[in-house]
Amino acid sequence: MLQSILEIRHLRTLIALRDTGSLVRAAQLLNLTQSALSHQIKLLEDRYDAQLFERKSVPPQFSTTGLRLLQLADTALPLIEEAERDVARLALGRSGQLRIVVECHACFDWLMPAMDAFRQRWPEIELDIVSGFHSDPIALVTQNRAEVAVVSREGSDEAVDYHALFRFEIMALLANDHPLTAKAYLTARHFTDQTLITYPVPDEVIDVVRQVLAPAGAEPAHRRTTELTVAMLQLVASGRGVATLPLWAVQNYLDRGYVTARRVGSKGLTGRLYMACTPGTSEQPWLADFVRITRENCFKSLPGIELL
C-alpha cells in the first residue's frame, strides 16, 4: 500500500500557489522562504514522479497531477478548518462579540470583505464597527469598548497585543496637469506651497506629516480635510490641492487616468497596519482566524502590499 507523504502544509502550499499566481507571492503569503516552498514542491514531484505545474507559465499552469492534488486540497482543507473551529467552539461556548474601531478611513475598502469572510466561518460571533472617528482607538480596546483596533503604529503598552497585517506604499496624488507631475518624486519642500488634503485626523496618524513633513520642519501652505476618499480625489482632480493615499486605495482611479501619482521620497513612503487587542482577546481562537483571513484576503486582492 502506498504510504502518503502529504501533509496539511503541502496542501496549503498548492492552494497559495494557485491563488497568488507565483512562487514568490505564495512564499510571502505562507511566511516561508522561496527556497523552503520550492523544496516542498520538489518533494512532492519526486514522490509522484511528475511535474505539478509548468515553471515558465505565469500564472502557473497545473499539470494533471497538480490539479488532482489541488482538488484534494480544496476538499480536505475546509473540512480540517471546520473541525478545528468546532473544537474551539466547544471550549469557547457558542457566542461572542468582535467590535472593531478603525483609525484609517480608507481601511473600510478591505475590512468589509474580510468581515464578510469571517462571518461565514464564525456566525456566532457578533460583528460590529464602532462608528465615528476616535482620536485614541487603543483606549477603546483597553476600556473594553472595542475588541480590536486597526492602527498604523505599534505601541509599547504591555496591556496591548499588536498583530501585524501588511505594509504598503503611500502615493502623492496630483491633478493630471499639475506642475509637480514633472517630478520623479516629491520631497517635503514640494508640499510647502500646496494645499494638503487629508482625512480629519490628528497629524500623528497622517504618514506624510509624521514621516516626511514634521522631520523636515516643513508645513503645507494650506490644509483641507474631508472624510470621503472619493471627495478627496475629486478635489485633487480639480486642482484644489494634493493628497497622499495608499496605492491600494486609489489604483482604480489611476488606471482610469483620473489623477496622477508620484512617489513621496526617492525610496517611497511606506505605511503599515496592525490589529491591536488585549492579551485576553488574543487568546480567543476566532481572533487568530480573523487576523489570518484579513491578511490573506488583502494580500490576494490589494495591489502592491507586502505582509508584515
Side-chain angles (χ1 to χ4, degrees), residues 66-102:
L67 289 172
R68 181 62 184 90
L69 292 177
L70 272 173
Q71 183 183 37
L72 171 64
D74 284 334
T75 301
L77 285 180
L79 292 175
I80 293 169
E81 292 168 357
E82 182 180 8
E84 288 178 335
R85 290 195 299 274
D86 287 342
V87 170
R89 287 184 179 102
L90 293 175
L92 174 68
R94 300 296 298 182
S95 64
Q97 68 175 347
L98 174 51
R99 296 165 296 176
I100 307 165
V101 57
V102 180

mmCIF file of all heavy atoms in Angstrom, residues 66-102:
data_model
loop_
_atom_site.group_PDB
_atom_site.id
_atom_site.type_symbol
_atom_site.label_atom_id
_atom_site.label_comp_id
_atom_site.label_asym_id
_atom_site.label_seq_id
_atom_site.Cartn_x
_atom_site.Cartn_y
_atom_site.Cartn_z
ATOM 1 N N GLY A 66 -0.938 17.904 -10.599
ATOM 2 C CA GLY A 66 -1.123 19.069 -9.753
ATOM 3 C C GLY A 66 -2.585 19.389 -9.534
ATOM 4 O O GLY A 66 -3.004 19.733 -8.408
ATOM 5 N N LEU A 67 -3.396 19.275 -10.582
ATOM 6 C CA LEU A 67 -4.825 19.552 -10.464
ATOM 7 C C LEU A 67 -5.514 18.562 -9.533
ATOM 8 O O LEU A 67 -6.429 18.935 -8.782
ATOM 9 C CB LEU A 67 -5.485 19.523 -11.844
ATOM 10 C CG LEU A 67 -5.137 20.693 -12.775
ATOM 11 C CD1 LEU A 67 -5.699 20.452 -14.165
ATOM 12 C CD2 LEU A 67 -5.674 22.022 -12.209
ATOM 13 N N ARG A 68 -5.054 17.308 -9.575
ATOM 14 C CA ARG A 68 -5.672 16.310 -8.678
ATOM 15 C C ARG A 68 -5.345 16.604 -7.219
ATOM 16 O O ARG A 68 -6.211 16.467 -6.337
ATOM 17 C CB ARG A 68 -5.171 14.898 -9.050
ATOM 18 C CG ARG A 68 -5.794 13.800 -8.188
ATOM 19 C CD ARG A 68 -7.292 13.741 -8.373
ATOM 20 N NE ARG A 68 -7.942 12.769 -7.486
ATOM 21 C CZ ARG A 68 -8.396 13.054 -6.268
ATOM 22 N NH1 ARG A 68 -8.267 14.288 -5.796
ATOM 23 N NH2 ARG A 68 -8.979 12.128 -5.540
ATOM 24 N N LEU A 69 -4.126 17.041 -6.963
ATOM 25 C CA LEU A 69 -3.767 17.396 -5.596
ATOM 26 C C LEU A 69 -4.480 18.672 -5.151
ATOM 27 O O LEU A 69 -4.864 18.811 -3.990
ATOM 28 C CB LEU A 69 -2.255 17.560 -5.473
ATOM 29 C CG LEU A 69 -1.436 16.270 -5.631
ATOM 30 C CD1 LEU A 69 0.055 16.569 -5.567
ATOM 31 C CD2 LEU A 69 -1.816 15.245 -4.547
ATOM 32 N N LEU A 70 -4.680 19.592 -6.077
ATOM 33 C CA LEU A 70 -5.454 20.791 -5.752
ATOM 34 C C LEU A 70 -6.906 20.432 -5.415
ATOM 35 O O LEU A 70 -7.503 21.021 -4.510
ATOM 36 C CB LEU A 70 -5.429 21.767 -6.931
ATOM 37 C CG LEU A 70 -4.286 22.767 -6.986
ATOM 38 C CD1 LEU A 70 -4.331 23.537 -8.294
ATOM 39 C CD2 LEU A 70 -4.348 23.731 -5.804
ATOM 40 N N GLN A 71 -7.442 19.471 -6.141
ATOM 41 C CA GLN A 71 -8.805 19.017 -5.854
ATOM 42 C C GLN A 71 -8.886 18.460 -4.436
ATOM 43 O O GLN A 71 -9.842 18.730 -3.698
ATOM 44 C CB GLN A 71 -9.225 17.952 -6.867
ATOM 45 C CG GLN A 71 -10.656 17.457 -6.696
ATOM 46 C CD GLN A 71 -10.988 16.343 -7.677
ATOM 47 O OE1 GLN A 71 -10.134 15.499 -7.983
ATOM 48 N NE2 GLN A 71 -12.214 16.343 -8.158
ATOM 49 N N LEU A 72 -7.867 17.693 -4.057
ATOM 50 C CA LEU A 72 -7.814 17.170 -2.690
ATOM 51 C C LEU A 72 -7.727 18.310 -1.683
ATOM 52 O O LEU A 72 -8.426 18.309 -0.661
ATOM 53 C CB LEU A 72 -6.606 16.242 -2.540
ATOM 54 C CG LEU A 72 -6.285 15.790 -1.110
ATOM 55 C CD1 LEU A 72 -7.419 14.946 -0.553
ATOM 56 C CD2 LEU A 72 -4.966 15.009 -1.074
ATOM 57 N N ALA A 73 -6.863 19.288 -1.974
ATOM 58 C CA ALA A 73 -6.693 20.416 -1.055
ATOM 59 C C ALA A 73 -7.997 21.195 -0.888
ATOM 60 O O ALA A 73 -8.368 21.571 0.231
ATOM 61 C CB ALA A 73 -5.588 21.337 -1.561
ATOM 62 N N ASP A 74 -8.710 21.421 -1.993
ATOM 63 C CA ASP A 74 -9.973 22.162 -1.925
ATOM 64 C C ASP A 74 -11.029 21.406 -1.133
ATOM 65 O O ASP A 74 -11.926 22.015 -0.541
ATOM 66 C CB ASP A 74 -10.496 22.432 -3.340
ATOM 67 C CG ASP A 74 -9.727 23.548 -4.045
ATOM 68 O OD1 ASP A 74 -9.180 24.410 -3.348
ATOM 69 O OD2 ASP A 74 -9.682 23.534 -5.285
ATOM 70 N N THR A 75 -10.931 20.098 -1.116
ATOM 71 C CA THR A 75 -11.896 19.285 -0.364
ATOM 72 C C THR A 75 -11.491 19.139 1.098
ATOM 73 O O THR A 75 -12.304 19.313 2.010
ATOM 74 C CB THR A 75 -12.027 17.884 -0.991
ATOM 75 O OG1 THR A 75 -12.453 18.005 -2.346
ATOM 76 C CG2 THR A 75 -13.026 17.031 -0.217
ATOM 77 N N ALA A 76 -10.213 18.837 1.328
ATOM 78 C CA ALA A 76 -9.760 18.488 2.678
ATOM 79 C C ALA A 76 -9.569 19.692 3.594
ATOM 80 O O ALA A 76 -9.956 19.649 4.769
ATOM 81 C CB ALA A 76 -8.456 17.692 2.589
ATOM 82 N N LEU A 77 -8.968 20.762 3.075
ATOM 83 C CA LEU A 77 -8.642 21.895 3.958
ATOM 84 C C LEU A 77 -9.880 22.525 4.597
ATOM 85 O O LEU A 77 -9.869 22.805 5.807
ATOM 86 C CB LEU A 77 -7.830 22.937 3.201
ATOM 87 C CG LEU A 77 -6.363 22.573 2.959
ATOM 88 C CD1 LEU A 77 -5.659 23.693 2.205
ATOM 89 C CD2 LEU A 77 -5.644 22.297 4.273
ATOM 90 N N PRO A 78 -10.966 22.761 3.846
ATOM 91 C CA PRO A 78 -12.156 23.312 4.513
ATOM 92 C C PRO A 78 -12.707 22.396 5.600
ATOM 93 O O PRO A 78 -13.181 22.866 6.641
ATOM 94 C CB PRO A 78 -13.165 23.464 3.365
ATOM 95 C CG PRO A 78 -12.316 23.621 2.144
ATOM 96 C CD PRO A 78 -11.145 22.718 2.376
ATOM 97 N N LEU A 79 -12.624 21.063 5.397
ATOM 98 C CA LEU A 79 -13.105 20.128 6.414
ATOM 99 C C LEU A 79 -12.237 20.179 7.663
ATOM 100 O O LEU A 79 -12.734 20.140 8.796
ATOM 101 C CB LEU A 79 -13.129 18.705 5.844
ATOM 102 C CG LEU A 79 -14.156 18.447 4.738
ATOM 103 C CD1 LEU A 79 -13.985 17.039 4.176
ATOM 104 C CD2 LEU A 79 -15.578 18.642 5.266
ATOM 105 N N ILE A 80 -10.915 20.257 7.464
ATOM 106 C CA ILE A 80 -9.999 20.345 8.599
ATOM 107 C C ILE A 80 -10.222 21.637 9.377
ATOM 108 O O ILE A 80 -10.299 21.637 10.613
ATOM 109 C CB ILE A 80 -8.544 20.257 8.105
ATOM 110 C CG1 ILE A 80 -8.259 18.859 7.546
ATOM 111 C CG2 ILE A 80 -7.553 20.587 9.224
ATOM 112 C CD1 ILE A 80 -6.947 18.748 6.811
ATOM 113 N N GLU A 81 -10.343 22.746 8.644
ATOM 114 C CA GLU A 81 -10.539 24.038 9.310
ATOM 115 C C GLU A 81 -11.876 24.090 10.033
ATOM 116 O O GLU A 81 -11.982 24.649 11.132
ATOM 117 C CB GLU A 81 -10.435 25.160 8.281
ATOM 118 C CG GLU A 81 -9.011 25.317 7.731
ATOM 119 C CD GLU A 81 -8.951 26.228 6.517
ATOM 120 O OE1 GLU A 81 -10.029 26.697 6.070
ATOM 121 O OE2 GLU A 81 -7.837 26.469 6.023
ATOM 122 N N GLU A 82 -12.911 23.491 9.446
ATOM 123 C CA GLU A 82 -14.217 23.465 10.098
ATOM 124 C C GLU A 82 -14.158 22.661 11.389
ATOM 125 O O GLU A 82 -14.724 23.055 12.412
ATOM 126 C CB GLU A 82 -15.270 22.871 9.156
ATOM 127 C CG GLU A 82 -16.673 22.851 9.751
ATOM 128 C CD GLU A 82 -17.698 22.248 8.803
ATOM 129 O OE1 GLU A 82 -17.296 21.710 7.753
ATOM 130 O OE2 GLU A 82 -18.903 22.324 9.126
ATOM 131 N N ALA A 83 -13.455 21.517 11.355
ATOM 132 C CA ALA A 83 -13.313 20.696 12.557
ATOM 133 C C ALA A 83 -12.550 21.443 13.648
ATOM 134 O O ALA A 83 -12.915 21.385 14.832
ATOM 135 C CB ALA A 83 -12.595 19.389 12.210
ATOM 136 N N GLU A 84 -11.507 22.166 13.247
ATOM 137 C CA GLU A 84 -10.734 22.928 14.236
ATOM 138 C C GLU A 84 -11.592 24.032 14.860
ATOM 139 O O GLU A 84 -11.493 24.304 16.058
ATOM 140 C CB GLU A 84 -9.489 23.512 13.575
ATOM 141 C CG GLU A 84 -8.439 22.458 13.248
ATOM 142 C CD GLU A 84 -7.216 23.034 12.557
ATOM 143 O OE1 GLU A 84 -7.356 24.104 11.909
ATOM 144 O OE2 GLU A 84 -6.134 22.443 12.674
ATOM 145 N N ARG A 85 -12.420 24.676 14.059
ATOM 146 C CA ARG A 85 -13.310 25.700 14.608
ATOM 147 C C ARG A 85 -14.328 25.080 15.567
ATOM 148 O O ARG A 85 -14.646 25.652 16.614
ATOM 149 C CB ARG A 85 -14.032 26.449 13.487
ATOM 150 C CG ARG A 85 -13.124 27.352 12.673
ATOM 151 C CD ARG A 85 -13.930 28.335 11.838
ATOM 152 N NE ARG A 85 -14.802 27.684 10.878
ATOM 153 C CZ ARG A 85 -14.443 27.294 9.670
ATOM 154 N NH1 ARG A 85 -13.198 27.464 9.259
ATOM 155 N NH2 ARG A 85 -15.308 26.726 8.849
ATOM 156 N N ASP A 86 -14.846 23.895 15.211
ATOM 157 C CA ASP A 86 -15.813 23.232 16.084
ATOM 158 C C ASP A 86 -15.185 22.875 17.423
ATOM 159 O O ASP A 86 -15.812 23.026 18.482
ATOM 160 C CB ASP A 86 -16.362 21.970 15.405
ATOM 161 C CG ASP A 86 -17.325 22.289 14.277
ATOM 162 O OD1 ASP A 86 -17.826 23.436 14.236
ATOM 163 O OD2 ASP A 86 -17.568 21.409 13.442
ATOM 164 N N VAL A 87 -13.936 22.395 17.383
ATOM 165 C CA VAL A 87 -13.233 22.071 18.633
ATOM 166 C C VAL A 87 -13.050 23.332 19.468
ATOM 167 O O VAL A 87 -13.224 23.324 20.693
ATOM 168 C CB VAL A 87 -11.873 21.410 18.322
ATOM 169 C CG1 VAL A 87 -11.030 21.287 19.581
ATOM 170 C CG2 VAL A 87 -12.090 20.030 17.709
ATOM 171 N N ALA A 88 -12.690 24.437 18.802
ATOM 172 C CA ALA A 88 -12.516 25.699 19.524
ATOM 173 C C ALA A 88 -13.831 26.164 20.135
ATOM 174 O O ALA A 88 -13.865 26.695 21.249
ATOM 175 C CB ALA A 88 -11.970 26.768 18.582
ATOM 176 N N ARG A 89 -14.930 25.950 19.427
ATOM 177 C CA ARG A 89 -16.235 26.382 19.932
ATOM 178 C C ARG A 89 -16.614 25.617 21.203
ATOM 179 O O ARG A 89 -17.301 26.151 22.081
ATOM 180 C CB ARG A 89 -17.304 26.165 18.865
ATOM 181 C CG ARG A 89 -17.231 27.152 17.707
ATOM 182 C CD ARG A 89 -18.386 26.945 16.741
ATOM 183 N NE ARG A 89 -18.323 27.901 15.659
ATOM 184 C CZ ARG A 89 -17.871 27.613 14.437
ATOM 185 N NH1 ARG A 89 -17.452 26.382 14.141
ATOM 186 N NH2 ARG A 89 -17.845 28.548 13.497
ATOM 187 N N LEU A 90 -16.208 24.343 21.290
ATOM 188 C CA LEU A 90 -16.535 23.554 22.473
ATOM 189 C C LEU A 90 -15.943 24.190 23.725
ATOM 190 O O LEU A 90 -16.543 24.152 24.802
ATOM 191 C CB LEU A 90 -16.019 22.118 22.308
ATOM 192 C CG LEU A 90 -16.697 21.289 21.216
ATOM 193 C CD1 LEU A 90 -16.006 19.944 21.075
ATOM 194 C CD2 LEU A 90 -18.176 21.096 21.540
ATOM 195 N N ALA A 91 -14.761 24.768 23.573
ATOM 196 C CA ALA A 91 -14.119 25.431 24.714
ATOM 197 C C ALA A 91 -14.624 26.856 24.887
ATOM 198 O O ALA A 91 -14.740 27.364 26.005
ATOM 199 C CB ALA A 91 -12.606 25.434 24.527
ATOM 200 N N LEU A 92 -14.928 27.509 23.773
ATOM 201 C CA LEU A 92 -15.306 28.915 23.798
ATOM 202 C C LEU A 92 -16.743 29.136 24.235
ATOM 203 O O LEU A 92 -17.057 30.105 24.920
ATOM 204 C CB LEU A 92 -15.114 29.513 22.388
ATOM 205 C CG LEU A 92 -15.587 30.941 22.148
ATOM 206 C CD1 LEU A 92 -14.724 31.915 22.933
ATOM 207 C CD2 LEU A 92 -15.550 31.272 20.660
ATOM 208 N N GLY A 93 -17.618 28.225 23.892
ATOM 209 C CA GLY A 93 -19.042 28.487 24.030
ATOM 210 C C GLY A 93 -19.581 28.930 22.688
ATOM 211 O O GLY A 93 -18.854 29.077 21.715
ATOM 212 N N ARG A 94 -20.841 29.199 22.629
ATOM 213 C CA ARG A 94 -21.485 29.413 21.343
ATOM 214 C C ARG A 94 -21.676 30.883 20.983
ATOM 215 O O ARG A 94 -22.401 31.197 20.038
ATOM 216 C CB ARG A 94 -22.852 28.729 21.330
ATOM 217 C CG ARG A 94 -22.800 27.236 21.562
ATOM 218 C CD ARG A 94 -22.068 26.504 20.468
ATOM 219 N NE ARG A 94 -22.703 26.644 19.178
ATOM 220 C CZ ARG A 94 -22.272 26.062 18.065
ATOM 221 N NH1 ARG A 94 -21.173 25.314 18.105
ATOM 222 N NH2 ARG A 94 -22.904 26.238 16.925
ATOM 223 N N SER A 95 -21.086 31.818 21.717
ATOM 224 C CA SER A 95 -21.312 33.214 21.384
ATOM 225 C C SER A 95 -20.080 34.055 21.695
ATOM 226 O O SER A 95 -19.147 33.599 22.345
ATOM 227 C CB SER A 95 -22.521 33.762 22.158
ATOM 228 O OG SER A 95 -22.251 33.749 23.549
ATOM 229 N N GLY A 96 -20.097 35.263 21.239
ATOM 230 C CA GLY A 96 -19.010 36.206 21.475
ATOM 231 C C GLY A 96 -19.264 37.441 20.639
ATOM 232 O O GLY A 96 -20.197 37.492 19.838
ATOM 233 N N GLN A 97 -18.433 38.464 20.816
ATOM 234 C CA GLN A 97 -18.576 39.666 20.011
ATOM 235 C C GLN A 97 -17.218 40.199 19.612
ATOM 236 O O GLN A 97 -16.226 40.027 20.318
ATOM 237 C CB GLN A 97 -19.373 40.744 20.739
ATOM 238 C CG GLN A 97 -18.705 41.360 21.949
ATOM 239 C CD GLN A 97 -19.537 42.504 22.522
ATOM 240 O OE1 GLN A 97 -20.472 42.997 21.893
ATOM 241 N NE2 GLN A 97 -19.193 42.937 23.727
ATOM 242 N N LEU A 98 -17.196 40.825 18.450
ATOM 243 C CA LEU A 98 -15.976 41.438 17.920
ATOM 244 C C LEU A 98 -16.341 42.828 17.431
ATOM 245 O O LEU A 98 -16.916 43.004 16.362
ATOM 246 C CB LEU A 98 -15.406 40.586 16.778
ATOM 247 C CG LEU A 98 -14.212 41.158 16.011
ATOM 248 C CD1 LEU A 98 -13.099 41.597 16.942
ATOM 249 C CD2 LEU A 98 -13.702 40.137 15.007
ATOM 250 N N ARG A 99 -16.032 43.828 18.262
ATOM 251 C CA ARG A 99 -16.260 45.229 17.906
ATOM 252 C C ARG A 99 -14.941 45.816 17.417
ATOM 253 O O ARG A 99 -13.908 45.669 18.072
ATOM 254 C CB ARG A 99 -16.775 46.011 19.118
ATOM 255 C CG ARG A 99 -18.144 45.552 19.618
ATOM 256 C CD ARG A 99 -18.426 46.090 21.009
ATOM 257 N NE ARG A 99 -17.471 45.531 21.975
ATOM 258 C CZ ARG A 99 -17.428 45.896 23.268
ATOM 259 N NH1 ARG A 99 -18.284 46.796 23.729
ATOM 260 N NH2 ARG A 99 -16.538 45.347 24.079
ATOM 261 N N ILE A 100 -14.989 46.472 16.273
ATOM 262 C CA ILE A 100 -13.775 46.946 15.615
ATOM 263 C C ILE A 100 -13.805 48.461 15.516
ATOM 264 O O ILE A 100 -14.801 49.042 15.059
ATOM 265 C CB ILE A 100 -13.648 46.342 14.205
ATOM 266 C CG1 ILE A 100 -13.751 44.810 14.259
ATOM 267 C CG2 ILE A 100 -12.330 46.754 13.549
ATOM 268 C CD1 ILE A 100 -13.986 44.166 12.909
ATOM 269 N N VAL A 101 -12.722 49.098 15.945
ATOM 270 C CA VAL A 101 -12.569 50.536 15.766
ATOM 271 C C VAL A 101 -11.430 50.751 14.783
ATOM 272 O O VAL A 101 -10.394 50.086 14.860
ATOM 273 C CB VAL A 101 -12.299 51.254 17.112
ATOM 274 C CG1 VAL A 101 -11.080 50.703 17.814
ATOM 275 C CG2 VAL A 101 -12.159 52.754 16.896
ATOM 276 N N VAL A 102 -11.629 51.640 13.820
ATOM 277 C CA VAL A 102 -10.701 51.799 12.708
ATOM 278 C C VAL A 102 -10.108 53.204 12.716
ATOM 279 O O VAL A 102 -10.828 54.198 12.724
ATOM 280 C CB VAL A 102 -11.403 51.533 11.362
ATOM 281 C CG1 VAL A 102 -10.437 51.692 10.205
ATOM 282 C CG2 VAL A 102 -12.008 50.140 11.356
#
